[in-house]
Amino acid sequence: QVHLVESGGGEVPAGGSLRLSCSASGINFRLHPMKWYRQGPGKERELVASITGSGGTNYSDSVKDRFSISRDNVRNRVYLQLSSLKPEDTAVYYCNTIRGGLGFWGQGTRVTVSP
């Protein structure tokens, strides 16, 4: 069974930083692209960043110069480094992968950025 667990969220002032972590099991991790999504209050879920099994990355325009996604294929973890945080970054952040044509999600970790 695919199991994803996010951690590392919290409350931080504008301009601050956090590092989110996602631990994965139930997949051959190194072969799976991993993605981070977020869902802010009253907003739809949006893709934030993605990383291929070999380390290629992509970012949404809103975070491309502030966030960094990385992975550790030995420890089966993917990270999202959040820097220069803005209040509009406030959201629940979710880890995502695909197996057998289906998407799987973690429980999410909450990030709150105060003005």
Side-chain angles (χ1 to χ4, degrees):
Q1 297 179 354
V2 179
H3 191 211
L4 306 174
V5 179
E6 301 96 335
S7 62
E11 185 173 354
V12 63
S17 300
L18 287 171
R19 190 174 85 147
L20 310 183
S21 178
C22 174
S23 297
S25 61
I27 57 173
N28 191 347
F29 181 79
R30 65 183 179 86
L31 300 179
H32 283 254
M34 302 295 296
K35 298 179 179 179
W36 284 97
Y37 287 77
R38 68 185 181 187
Q39 187 165 16
K43 299 180 180 179
E44 296 182 352
R45 185 181 299 168
E46 63 173 339
L47 177 64
V48 175
S50 62
I51 185 167
T52 68
S54 58
T57 60
N58 283 287
Y59 300 92
S60 68
D61 289 340
S62 62
V63 308
K64 64 187 300 182
D65 295 323
R66 300 184 298 117
F67 293 5
S68 180
I69 188 172
S70 61
R71 68 191 298 153
D72 185 335
N73 285 346
V74 174
R75 297 171 175 82
N76 290 359
R77 292 178 180 176
V78 61
Y79 305 95
L80 187 67
Q81 179 69 45
L82 291 67
S83 301
S84 301
L85 283 163
K86 305 174 181 179
E88 51 262 44
D89 295 319
T90 295
V92 177
Y93 285 72
Y94 297 93
C95 181
N96 167 268
T97 192
I98 295 174
R99 185 188 64 82
L102 299 176
F104 294 87
W105 305 86
Q107 84 289 347
T109 186
R110 185 178 300 274
V111 172
T112 301
V113 184
S114 59

